[in-house]
Amino acid sequence: CATGINMQAAHWLAPRMTRQCGNDFQEELVIRPLHSGDIYASFQFRTVWETDFMRGNKVSHYRLFPKSLGQVISKFSVRELHISFTQGYWRTMQWGQPFQPSPPGAELWVWFQDSVTDVDGTWKELTNVLSGIFCASLNFIDSTNTVQPSASFKPLGIGNETDHRFLRYATLPREIVCTENLTPWKKLLPCGSKAGLAVLLKSEKLFHSSFHSQAVHIRPVCQDWQCKTTSWELRQTLNVVFDLHNSAQGKREWSLFKMFSRTLTEACPLASSSKIYIDITDNPQGEQFEVSPATPLLSQAVVLGDRRTFSVYDLTQQITFGTVRSLNLLIRWKSSEGDMLRPLLHAERYVAGYGLQTGEIHTLMYNNHPYRSFPVLLLDSVPWYLRLYIHTLTVTSKGKDNKPSYIHYQPSKDRLRPHLLEMLVQLPPNSVTEVTVQFERALLKWTEYTPDPNHGFYVGSSVISSLVPSIVAMDTNSTRERPLFSSFFPCKEESSYFVRVYTEPLLVNLPTPDFSMPYNVICLTCTVVAVGYGSLYNLLTRSFQIEEPSPGLAKRIANIIRKMRGVPPL
Amino acid sequence: MATTEVERRRGQLAALSIAAVVIIVGVPLWWRTTETYRAWLPVNQINELANLQLQLSADVEVVFARGTVTPEQQKKVPTQVVISLCLFCSSPLEADLSLHTLSESPCGSLVVYVIPESSTLLPEDVDVYIGQRRTALLRIEQLLAHLEPRIKQVLQVMSFSHTDITAALSDRVRLSPGNKESIADSMRAFKSSPGYEITFSLLNPDPKSHRVHWDIEGAVQTYIQPLLTKLAPLANFSIDSQTLYYAMLGVNPRYDSSRSAYTLNSDSLAHVINPVEARLGSNAASSNPVLNFLLYVPDAHHSPLHIHDHKKQEVLSNAFHSPRWGGIMVYNVNGFYGPEAVFPVDININMAKVMGVFLAQLRLLLGVQSSAPPPGFLVAPCSSTGLADWELDRLMWSRTVENVATATTTITSLAQLLDQIGNIVINDNIAQQVSSAVTSLQLAVAELEAGNLGFALQYSKEAILASERAFFDPSLLHLLYFPDDQKFAIYIPLFLPMCVPILLSLLKIVSEARQKRRERQAKKD
């Protein structure tokens, strides 16, 4: 809102209720009952801030957009920022595709504006500042775990610049996510945790789950289809999977209260839209589960290549809360049967080999499509202390060699930068493609080991990005009003949709020395030196003379007796 | 017998030569290889800084209007007399402006115009008029007797007084305690810093009932920016604003049925800030001090809300400030409710009223003193920038002195620390920073003495930057935690077995030599 008084005056007169001065806030919760009996809840909060950032204006007046993040993007000339904190691993084969994928631990990728000259220095400063904002150990991101992917991470917002010199990507697979990361994340919301959907975000329940992932995505977006006005979009997402046995004591019955220990009483007054979606696609006649209170509102959205049906609860309508003025959604399962659609793309990874010298990384990529093949981009960032033998790289599918059409490999430098391997591989229909590469374990310096070196060293997840053929036509109109969960990845083609899959992180043992060794070695060497020196010293300084042989034992006793008798000795 | 004596002699010589090799080669080698690198520091100059005498001097130009001095007086007056043009202006304000165009005085200096006793330029009871620039008009009856004390007074108002300098030094140097009020004054203002962040926050605890709009962009441009532009030589300022929802005050206001309003006592104001501060968010992008200005719109259930002072009287501005933190203003909105209030109510904040309060608080917090002038003085009304040139000068004088004091204490305490802990590595870049800080300090002091205020401030800022950079350099921490007992734990297994035989044989040689001498003495006797 740069034009000041006139523009604001116009907005006071404008009928739009909550849209003030180019600021807009939406909140949304999607609940998807999973076939395993678990339940998947996905929150999205979207703040849009209309501003003319591309012309280098110094923007400093914040309304709905959080000031701390605004200062960060303007100080470090950030064009796009994606950060996620995840606890647990998303089980694609059991749960299907998530709305926003994220690897275990922390992940950060940033596109800088092309006006930045010292990208590495800015990146270092940025990670330090973000580590303060999110109370996370992002300050451990340095050149040894940062890469510049050439193809895998394209900007998700507007902008033509795709020179990967301005991109930085780093993961911290070891990062533990907990309450201290959630609190600053909630503070970024305009309503905090005081009103709206965010009242459900209670850490004692959220972290008592089998998967928890929270993320912040900032990107520039268009306001209209001609892109005359641009704005910053801040998406805060939080995904959580509640476990059937852990949280529900094995009963196939879920309610808002059971999941979050809270019910909903109002929408955030600042939100222009506040909705709850429940995925009822697999349950058209209510034979699988029953949702109460029932809602007449249904919505269809194409998400992840599939047309899904949702029951919608609009929290801005007073009628949603009924007579008790509180909404406690209840989902009760009727049968435990039914089968889930297998995800078309799926990947896993493990480390093979024995001993502490060499090993082999295996990455398996599954194409479950019955008749279509599609290309995938595989990104691997491996720390320098696993020395990859790149000549041993093999890609095989269906027992045959599958030559990648594009390979970008950047070898590591010890203690400076990691290996970066990017490949474009065509996955044949209904197949498993295996990528293997051998490595040698390096011996670290004794100060480079972590405090618990016998736990092992983490290697971040591989990232597999792909355009997967979709079953139904995708919606490519990006400016139409759509639910937030279906509009994160921009979609250019109708026949395919974008998917990113993360594999498991690896835990690799490195040869670990005995850490009390240095002192033992010092003591032992010193003793040896001292003994050698001592004898040499004795040899040099003592004078040797022949000693009279001492008298025998009998003679000595005889002498004692003679002495007692007063006779001179012998 | 002779062979054993020769043999013994050889053993003694061998022991002596081994001891000599250990002392001449071994000890220096060990010393050189385990020593920490310590670059040279200008210790003498730093010690000189510790007892530094500050001398401030300001240029005062005294201009006599025609008819003020008689020719014989002219000979006695030490200053060169400039006969200025006559002032045909009707008011002192115009005179001030026209005189300003006459001569542009550099910052830190003053021009005092002495006008005839008969002049009607100044009102009856006013003898001294202080303009918006660096000028003052003076009317004196007995010229020579009263000129000097009058000019001294003018100087104290327009440049610096003893209390200002004491206040600027109060944090660094322990001086005799002045009166309570001056201490409170000195503690209110922010400490000198190369930059400040000013944050305006609109707190709306009740977005369900109030939809509050404020034109902060326009208000900042109109009210705050001119002042900050004027203050630009002093420090860099950056402004931002934010709106916070559901931000509550820390205390529950009490309902006063006689006024049918809620009240906040002056005692409870201290508890207001802490819970709000958690929401304000620290400044992520810089480490400069933040000046917070909060505009609090009370929620509909606690409205109207008034702040009461110690005498249980309503505070007219409904605002208060917290020293070295910022200001809070309560903005009551029940006037907007109207007869049939439909919540949420749209509220348009009167920024002129708000910014008037915030501007006054900003002046206080930046240390622009507005102490009452002595009797007989008339101070020109504020110009559009909100700050007269001489007020800026005053601020620059005290800030320069404060900077010099801060940099001096930083450098001397760093030198002391490095002197005390021998384990700290002093890298070349730290030594360089320290020397540049010392040089800048000396230059700043010299410029203060010469009366070049602008340069003095510049050098004092450089001194602060260099000294802080040296003091907070992370490389100073590297060897700090390498205690002596651990070193000895490592050295003892080697040194003990090596040194004991050497010492023993040395002792033996000494005792034998002594015995031999005693025998010789006995033989002689």
Side-chain angles (χ1 to χ4, degrees), chain A residues 1 5 8 12 20 60-63 67 71 75 187 190 194-195 266 269-270 519 526 530 533 537 540-541 543, chain B residues 7 10-11 199 208 213-215 217 239-243 245-246 278 283 285 348 489 497-498 501-502 505:
Chain A
C1 183
I5 307 167
Q8 213 170 22
W12 294 329
Q20 43 162 318
S60 50
H61 299 287
Y62 304 94
R63 285 187 168 79
K67 188 182 85 159
Q71 280 178 332
K75 176 168 184 199
K187 255 196 210 172
K194 297 277 171 52
E266 59 174 350
L270 307 162
Y519 188 66
C526 288
Y533 162 82
Y537 187 86
L540 286 177
T541 56
S543 53
Chain B
E7 195 57 13
R10 190 197 56 78
T199 303
K208 260 165 106 181
H213 309 275
W214 69 340
D215 173 29
E217 290 92 343
I239 307 178
D240 43 31
S241 78
Q242 61 181 342
T243 311
Y245 301 93
Y246 292 102
N283 196 313
N348 180 9
M498 284 183 101
I502 294 180
S505 46

Side-chain angles (χ1 to χ4, degrees), chain B residues 137-153:
Chain B
L137 298 178
L138 201 59
R139 184 170 60 186
I140 311 177
E141 291 108 37
Q142 290 171 313
L143 185 70
L144 292 184
H146 288 195
L147 185 64
E148 212 183 306
R150 268 301 188 200
I151 286 182
K152 220 179 224 173
Q153 263 185 326

Side-chain angles (χ1 to χ4, degrees), chain A residues 119-136:
Chain A
V119 181
D120 286 314
T122 319
W123 166 252
K124 185 75 204 139
E125 268 184 69
L126 174 71
T127 51
N128 279 316
V129 168
L130 287 176
S131 131
I133 292 180
F134 290 104
C135 258

Side-chain angles (χ1 to χ4, degrees), chain B residues 347-412:
Chain B
I347 290 155
N348 180 9
I349 282 175
N350 176 5
M351 291 311 278
K353 184 178 154 194
V354 173
M355 281 297 155
V357 174
F358 283 164
L359 200 61
Q361 288 176 339
L362 182 64
R363 276 172 59 101
L364 276 178
L365 291 169
L366 288 177
V368 183
Q369 306 277 349
S370 46
S371 52
F377 276 59
L378 180 69
V379 178
C382 256
S383 64
S384 58
T385 56
L387 195 73
D389 280 0
W390 58 269
E391 281 181 307
L392 179 66
D393 282 359
R394 257 180 91 101
L395 208 54
M396 281 166 75
W397 282 113
S398 60
R399 282 296 147 95
T400 312
V401 171
E402 195 186 331
N403 285 352
V404 168
T406 313
T408 312
T409 32
T410 314
I411 284 293
T412 44

Side-chain angles (χ1 to χ4, degrees), chain B residues 229-364:
Chain B
T229 317
K230 190 106 194 207
L231 285 171
L234 216 57
N236 301 322
F237 292 92
S238 74
I239 307 178
D240 43 31
S241 78
Q242 61 181 342
T243 311
L244 296 174
Y245 301 93
Y246 292 102
M248 305 286 185
L249 295 184
V251 284
N252 275 329
R254 206 178 304 148
Y255 186 67
D256 186 350
S257 49
S258 66
R259 292 190 181 89
S260 69
Y262 288 84
T263 58
L264 270 180
N265 288 330
S266 55
D267 306 333
S268 57
L269 293 182
H271 309 290
V272 163
I273 294 172
N274 275 359
V276 177
E277 181 145 40
R279 286 290 309 276
L280 292 178
S282 55
N283 196 313
S286 85
S287 49
N288 289 330
V290 184
L291 285 84
N292 292 292
F293 293 100
L294 313 186
L295 184 66
Y296 181 77
V297 179
D299 48 329
H301 303 294
H302 292 107
S303 199
L305 177 67
H306 294 294
I307 297 175
H308 281 194
D309 61 7
H310 287 290
K311 293 169 203 136
K312 303 270 175 214
Q313 293 300 307
E314 267 180 31
V315 177
L316 274 181
S317 60
N318 218 4
F320 66 99
H321 70 264
S322 170
R324 294 187 186 173
W325 185 83
I328 297 185
M329 180 181 181
V330 176
Y331 192 90
N332 285 316
V333 294
N334 27 351
F336 286 89
Y337 287 168
E340 72 280 349
V342 183
F343 290 110
V345 185
D346 271 304
I347 290 155
N348 180 9
I349 282 175
N350 176 5
M351 291 311 278
K353 184 178 154 194
V354 173
M355 281 297 155
V357 174
F358 283 164
L359 200 61
Q361 288 176 339
L362 182 64
R363 276 172 59 101
L364 276 178

Side-chain angles (χ1 to χ4, degrees), chain A residues 515-529:
Chain A
F515 287 103
S516 63
M517 206 60 184
Y519 188 66
N520 296 350
V521 167
I522 288 173
C523 286
L524 189 71
T525 342
C526 288
T527 315
V528 168
V529 166

